[in-house]
Amino acid sequence: MRFLLISVLFTASALTIDAERLYAQPPIQQKPPVIPPRNPSPPTYAQVVKQNVVLTTPKARQAEFLPQNLTFIVSVRNLKSNSVDPVVKVSKSEKPGVYETLGKTETIDNNGNPDFLKVFWFMWKKGTQQKLKFEVRDVDNFRRDDPLGQIEVDLDDYVLKGEKLNVTLQNGTGSMLIQKTTPVKFRLYARGLPNADTIGQSDPYVEVYWSIGSNGKKVKFAQTSVIENNENPDWNETLEFANYIKNTDMVIFISIKSCIMYRYI
């Protein structure tokens, strides 16, 4: 493979525009204010009944309890040692005392303050007593993993607090931060790429990375397909950045490369 270009950079503020454009609810049409007459007459009985019916319609009550998709990541602080290899197992409960595995994070070696990259997805239904349980463990390849602490979170309480919750670990030391992410979807195209192949045109593809700040560690999260013999490619696949958190110093790096294609006769 041959590097062509590493020049396109989007800041978190640019992503904020994309996130709002793709995920925000359509704007509500504001009606002009109604100026009441100087001596308004009292409402009739029919008007009062109609108003009450509108406010208590089953459809209005049902809209309040529609399921909502939650996406979140977890971080842990002040574990007992910096030599532990932590992983977090997440379980969901939709019936009291009954838990099912939702997933687990990646393992981070030798870190007492890990920021996990794994994004969790869960369908929240208000008022149904849903809970999530988070278990932090120290991974050991030769024996049983050691527990480092756990917490249980009521999802109604989590959403009420703005989908950002910092909780002290039970049966261990330290705390856990659970916070909302806003997935961003996008597509890419390029124009006027230089010809990097000795025969024919370039065969470009894109690798996409993110980091905290311009000098932070870059994490690859997406890669497009290869488009052969094209210096003005349009990649039709939709890419997704699931870790995006609004109002943070996140930076996206886009690296365009050319794939060396070997053709045999």
Side-chain angles (χ1 to χ4, degrees):
M1 296 185 182
R2 188 179 308 169
F3 284 86
L4 279 180
L5 178 66
I6 307 179
S7 63
V8 187
L9 182 148
F10 296 105
T11 63
S13 61
L15 283 177
T16 303
I17 297 174
D18 290 340
E20 292 175 352
R21 175 173 60 83
L22 290 169
Y23 289 93
Q25 296 290 339
I28 298 174
Q29 297 295 331
Q30 298 291 337
K31 295 181 179 180
V34 178
I35 302 176
R38 293 185 177 179
N39 297 314
S41 58
T44 64
Y45 176 78
Q47 290 174 331
V48 173
V49 170
K50 182 178 180 180
Q51 184 180 16
N52 290 336
V53 170
V54 171
L55 293 176
T56 59
T57 177
K59 183 177 291 187
R61 291 196 303 268
Q62 183 181 7
E64 184 181 358
F65 297 99
L66 289 177
Q68 177 182 335
N69 191 25
L70 305 182
T71 56
F72 59 89
I73 56 175
V74 297
S75 302
V76 181
R77 292 292 179 266
N78 301 317
L79 292 174
K80 67 178 183 179
S81 168
N82 286 326
S83 63
V84 295
D85 305 323
V87 65
V88 177
K89 176 185 175 183
V90 184
S91 302
K92 61 180 180 179
S93 174
E94 303 192 58
K95 297 180 181 179
V98 179
Y99 281 91
E100 299 178 11
T101 300
L102 181 63
K104 67 177 182 178
T105 67
E106 70 277 13
T107 301
I108 299 181
D109 295 336
N110 300 317
N111 197 322
N113 298 281
D115 295 307
F116 297 99
L117 300 177
K118 167 74 174 178
V119 177
F120 293 91
W121 305 70
F122 186 75
M123 191 63 68
W124 168 63
K125 301 174 185 176
K126 182 178 179 181
T128 57
Q129 300 182 343
Q130 292 174 310
K131 297 182 184 296
L132 291 177
K133 182 166 64 175
F134 299 82
E135 300 173 88
V136 188
R137 293 184 172 274
D138 179 15
V139 175
D140 195 314
N141 294 327
F142 302 103
R143 59 182 182 182
R144 190 173 182 179
D145 296 346
D146 296 324
L148 297 174
Q150 67 178 39
I151 60 171
E152 189 177 86
V153 173
D154 181 277
L155 279 178
D156 286 354
D157 182 59
Y158 168 71
V159 174
L160 182 64
K161 294 180 178 178
E163 297 182 55
K164 186 174 183 179
L165 196 62
N166 199 335
V167 186
T168 301
L169 292 174
Q170 300 173 356
N171 303 321
T173 61
S175 61
M176 178 179 292
L177 174 64
I178 310 162
Q179 58 182 329
K180 171 185 178 180
T181 67
T182 304
V184 178
K185 294 183 179 181
F186 59 96
R187 291 184 178 181
L188 299 173
Y189 67 89
R191 295 293 181 266
L193 295 178
N195 188 356
D197 289 358
T198 55
I199 301 177
Q201 296 179 311
S202 298
D203 305 313
Y205 68 97
V206 177
E207 292 180 347
V208 192
Y209 301 78
W210 73 275
S211 70
I212 300 295
S214 299
N215 299 320
K217 179 181 178 181
K218 295 179 178 62
V219 179
K220 180 179 176 181
F221 70 89
Q223 178 174 320
T224 68
S225 59
V226 176
I227 299 180
E228 297 184 28
N229 296 317
N230 197 322
E231 295 176 2
N232 300 287
D234 288 277
W235 289 276
N236 292 324
E237 61 254 52
T238 298
L239 306 180
E240 182 174 56
F241 178 41
N243 291 74
Y244 176 58
I245 301 175
K246 290 185 177 182
N247 302 318
T248 57
D249 190 21
M250 286 186 171
V251 180
I252 294 293
F253 295 88
I254 296 179
S255 174
I256 306 176
K257 300 180 180 180
S258 179
C259 180
I260 299 177
M261 308 295 290
Y262 293 94
R263 299 176 176 85
Y264 299 93
I265 301 177

